[in-house]
Amino acid sequence: MTIKRTVNMTKQSDDVIVKTLSRLLIPFMQIYALYVIAHGHYSPGGGFQGGVILGASLILLAITYGLDNALRMMSERLNTILCSLGVFIYAGIGLLCIMLGGNYLDYGALDKILHVDIAHARSLGILGIETGVGIAVMAVMASIFLDISTGGLPSTKERDQSD
Amino acid sequence: MEVIKILSIVLILIGCFFFTTGTIGLIRFPDFYARMHATGKGDTLAVLICLIGLALYHTFHHGAVLDGIKLVFIAVFMFMANPTATHAISRAAFRCGVKPWTREENK
């Protein structure tokens, strides 16, 4: 049995059912991802899991509505910026704790600039870390998928020629 | 309260029955499309019935209304996503040229 290549990722899918359902589901997936990130410190979930769900919503968009639409929402430039921004938030909060006199990622030291008690400062510090991790993971997931599916060819014209 | 308890147990047992039939179909059916048919339909209904039973139990027996609402949301999204995933997988298989199973004497 030979499997012939019938899928062209550049164009939109011609399947009405899948397109309608992904249009319905993608906003709810993204809201759910934000819920998972925000509730990371006292329920299952966290930055990595929420970031993966956000990245999966972008991958679903790229599969159903075509790579060009996905790249219009999440370009390579934006991907690179968000990757670095997520790591910067994580490492920045960690280093801020050292500057305020604690250990690396010792959120209790943040109470001096947040003007709350130590327990609240720890909670807010963890939320900041989760946000950074979520942004970085979402950007890396989307970036890996886009790199694989474009085959390293950035523009639509080059991809059509190589097909 | 006892009525709600019995009702939720009955619903969960019915859901488990449909899970079992779906799994038997997945193991015993001859080809890809028949297996997708069994698991796609059976598991969707089973998940819906099981989650409604659990939502009833949580809402009325434990008084955790928010957990019940979350379970109903999961049921609604499974009911939308599961048949669509089945449809997409079997359509991809058909386009890649997977032949449906037929009896030997009909060939």
Side-chain angles (χ1 to χ4, degrees), chain B residues 6-54:
Chain B
I6 292 168
L7 188 63
S8 63
I9 290 171
V10 168
L11 282 174
I12 292 168
L13 283 179
I14 293 173
C16 289
F17 169 74
F18 280 113
F19 268 128
T20 315
T21 52
T23 311
I24 292 172
L26 176 70
I27 295 170
R28 296 287 299 168
F29 274 174
D31 77 331
F32 179 77
Y33 298 106
R35 287 176 179 177
M36 288 305 293
H37 172 79
T39 50
K41 284 188 170 64
D43 282 5
T44 310
L45 188 63
V47 164
L48 186 77
I49 294 173
C50 268
L51 285 176
I52 286 175
L54 288 171

Side-chain angles (χ1 to χ4, degrees), chain A residues 1-4 6-7 13-15 17-18 21 24-25 28 35, chain B residues 70 73 77 80-81 84 87-88 91-92 94-99:
Chain A
M1 187 179 71
T2 58
I3 294 179
K4 56 182 185 290
T6 53
V7 181
S13 157
D14 56 346
D15 195 339
I17 299 175
V18 173
L21 191 102
L24 269 173
L25 272 190
F28 288 105
Y35 168 82
Chain B
K70 281 178 193 170
F73 267 116
F77 285 123
M80 289 198 291
T84 311
H87 162 80
R91 187 181 151 98
F94 184 72
R95 287 175 131 198
C96 286
V98 178
K99 293 274 184 295

Side-chain angles (χ1 to χ4, degrees), chain B residues 73-87:
Chain B
F73 267 116
I74 295 174
V76 169
F77 285 123
M78 284 294 286
F79 210 69
M80 289 198 291
N82 210 343
T84 311
T86 311
H87 162 80

Side-chain angles (χ1 to χ4, degrees), chain A residues 1-126:
Chain A
M1 187 179 71
T2 58
I3 294 179
K4 56 182 185 290
R5 189 180 168 200
T6 53
V7 181
N8 186 358
M9 288 286 298
T10 312
K11 298 196 184 76
Q12 286 195 15
S13 157
D14 56 346
D15 195 339
V16 181
I17 299 175
V18 173
K19 273 168 76 174
T20 311
L21 191 102
S22 62
R23 199 170 61 216
L24 269 173
L25 272 190
I26 286 172
F28 288 105
M29 281 173 74
Q30 290 175 343
I31 288 175
Y32 179 66
L34 295 181
Y35 168 82
V36 169
I37 291 177
H39 284 244
H41 37 297
Y42 52 85
S43 70
F48 187 83
Q49 288 86 345
V52 167
I53 297 172
L54 270 178
S57 74
L58 287 170
I59 290 173
L60 183 62
L61 184 81
I63 288 174
T64 51
Y65 281 86
L67 266 181
D68 290 338
N69 280 318
L71 280 173
R72 202 173 299 139
M73 291 190 61
M74 193 78 189
S75 62
E76 302 264 351
R77 173 189 288 268
L78 185 63
N79 256 327
T80 315
I81 293 172
L82 285 182
C83 269
S84 321
L85 183 73
V87 179
F88 176 74
I89 291 174
Y90 185 93
I93 291 178
L95 289 175
L96 198 62
C97 297
I98 292 186
M99 284 180 214
L100 293 172
N103 291 318
Y104 187 69
L105 293 179
D106 182 7
Y107 315 113
L110 291 172
D111 62 340
K112 298 184 187 74
I113 52 168
L114 291 175
H115 300 296
V116 288
D117 54 7
I118 291 181
H120 275 104
R122 286 190 189 281
S123 175
L124 288 171
I126 293 175

